[in-house]
Amino acid sequence: MTNAPNTPTTPTKPTTPKTANTPDKSNPSTPTPLDFNQWVIEQFRANEGRVGGPFEGGDLLLLTTTGAKSGEEHTTPLAYFREGDLLLIVGSAGGAPQHPAWYHNLLAHPMVRVEVGTEVFAAIAVPAEGDRRDRLFEQVVRAAPGYADYQRRTTRSLPVVTLRRSEPEEGEGPREVTNLAEKLLEVHSWLRVQLHQVREEADAHFAARAAHQGPGAPPAPGLSMQLRQHCLAFCESLEFHHTGEDAHIFPALERRHPHLRDALRRLRAEHRTVARIKGELHALLSDIATADPARFRAELDRMTEELRAHLDFEEEALIPVLADIPFPPTAPVREAADGATA
């Protein structure tokens, strides 16, 4: 594991790492955690990811999660570490007895936004489990020994969360998108890749369970946290895509191209079918320890079949029309409003 690229080589790590939500309690004038976090966020964004004061030279990122209950966005400054192409964050909360709010948020909504330096990208947040969590935490402690102090202060196991990009890095993505047909194909391609990854993880999980023999702990019952998070992230992205189509793209197309009305009616019905399956998957994933793997696989197979057919039909019906609509839209004011929503 390596620290972030901007880690200084000469200063040593503090024994107890300061985090943005643990201000200096020895100073009575220290602002509240919320005020302090906001100050860190403003400093971070104004200085290309660099923050002064107690965080001078530190490795910080901004994590934006969606509230588990409120549905609102919340941004939290956090220390981070690197493990290959993953970023690691720790739910220490200064050794408090409860997990931090951002951790509960990403369990409910695994799709998060990450800011590192001047980069901003979407990522999938997955808490590490079992031996892997222990190994990663040991590596974090070697880099920042203060996290061991935090662990000693509480009986809970401090979660180590991996952040993996859910989009290509700059220069690795597809060619420039010039019309809505290409944009739709780009989104569909991403959804197909994510669905394939979820299915691969499901197959690997079930294969490991079936192959276990002899001594040693068998795989945990139910489903793995990684499978849960990736499945929820996929469902969340799919819902966002379908909601945008139903609310904006389809009404605009219906006004401009009445001959598509029957096709759009079918696509809306398919959205509802996929949404029902997604709801059943969500219910299964509410408690991975007791989830029925066989039922999960059956529902995942059903969603895969429905979604693949849906994406194929949508492309067949809409690509010829969408190919004539520039992206981003460049139509006159009235048309641009329609195009923007499309």
Side-chain angles (χ1 to χ4, degrees):
M1 182 177 71
T2 59
N3 290 336
N6 62 340
T7 303
T9 56
T10 50
T12 58
K13 293 279 185 180
T15 302
T16 301
K18 281 188 176 292
T19 59
N21 56 1
T22 55
D24 185 1
K25 296 180 181 178
S26 64
N27 184 351
S29 64
T30 298
T32 65
L34 286 178
D35 291 339
F36 193 69
N37 273 2
Q38 189 57 43
W39 176 83
V40 173
I41 292 168
E42 291 171 359
Q43 288 286 308
F44 184 102
R45 289 174 173 165
N47 297 287
E48 299 183 337
R50 295 184 296 273
V51 179
F55 307 105
E56 185 72 38
D59 303 329
L60 289 180
L61 59 74
L62 300 184
L63 178 74
T64 299
T65 58
T66 301
K69 296 181 180 178
S70 68
E72 297 178 356
E73 287 192 345
H74 300 274
T75 300
T76 308
L78 295 167
Y80 75 95
F81 305 85
R82 290 189 184 271
E83 170 72 3
D85 60 351
L86 300 176
L87 300 182
L88 307 179
I89 53 177
V90 181
S92 63
Q98 292 86 29
H99 292 314
W102 60 260
Y103 180 72
H104 295 289
N105 290 346
L106 64 80
L107 287 181
H109 302 286
M111 291 298 298
V112 299
R113 187 170 69 250
V114 179
E115 299 173 54
V116 177
T118 58
E119 270 196 291
V120 182
F121 55 90
I124 299 176
V126 181
E129 298 177 276
D131 293 342
R132 182 168 183 249
R133 178 267 169 203
D134 295 341
R135 176 179 60 81
L136 292 177
F137 187 71
E138 288 175 1
Q139 293 182 3
V140 167
V141 168
R142 283 198 292 271
Y147 282 100
D149 295 333
Y150 289 154
Q151 183 61 85
R152 283 190 288 269
R153 295 178 192 176
T154 182
T155 56
R156 67 184 175 91
S157 177
L158 301 186
V160 179
V161 178
T162 66
L163 302 174
R164 183 185 296 276
R165 286 176 181 267
S166 66
E167 56 193 35
E169 294 197 38
E170 188 174 351
E172 294 182 356
R175 62 185 177 83
E176 183 181 0
V177 171
T178 60
N179 58 58
L180 276 180
E182 293 174 348
K183 185 63 180 176
L184 182 71
L185 290 173
E186 179 185 64
V187 173
H188 282 191
S189 176
W190 186 89
L191 288 171
R192 287 185 173 102
V193 168
Q194 296 303 309
L195 179 60
H196 178 71
Q197 289 179 351
V198 169
R199 290 186 59 81
E200 280 193 332
E201 288 177 4
D203 290 343
H205 177 75
F206 297 134
R209 289 168 57 89
H212 177 75
Q213 295 180 2
L223 303 172
S224 71
M225 180 66 78
Q226 178 167 311
L227 178 56
R228 174 194 186 274
Q229 294 296 96
H230 281 202
C231 188
L232 286 181
F234 170 76
C235 290
E236 195 171 351
S237 301
L238 182 62
E239 180 179 11
F240 179 82
H241 174 57
H242 282 177
T243 299
E245 288 185 328
D246 288 341
H248 304 300
I249 295 179
F250 291 176
L253 288 177
E254 215 161 25
R255 289 194 298 271
R256 297 178 187 178
H257 305 280
H259 66 282
L260 291 176
R261 189 167 289 119
D262 289 343
L264 294 172
R265 186 180 298 115
R266 170 178 163 176
L267 290 172
R268 289 189 180 101
E270 291 176 356
H271 284 183
R272 292 191 292 271
T273 298
V274 171
R276 282 196 299 272
I277 301 172
K278 180 176 65 66
E280 291 167 7
L281 280 173
H282 264 269
L284 283 171
L285 294 170
S286 61
D287 185 355
I288 59 174
T290 60
D292 180 353
R295 186 180 167 200
F296 173 83
R297 175 173 254 168
E299 295 297 343
L300 186 60
D301 287 344
R302 193 154 65 100
M303 172 179 272
T304 299
E305 183 178 351
E306 291 281 353
L307 188 57
R308 284 175 175 167
H310 169 74
L311 296 179
D312 289 344
F313 176 72
E314 187 168 86
E315 290 168 5
E316 179 185 348
L318 302 186
I319 289 300
V321 171
L322 296 181
D324 294 329
I325 303 176
F327 186 89
T330 57
V333 176
R334 179 62 183 174
E335 290 296 309
D338 288 343
T341 57

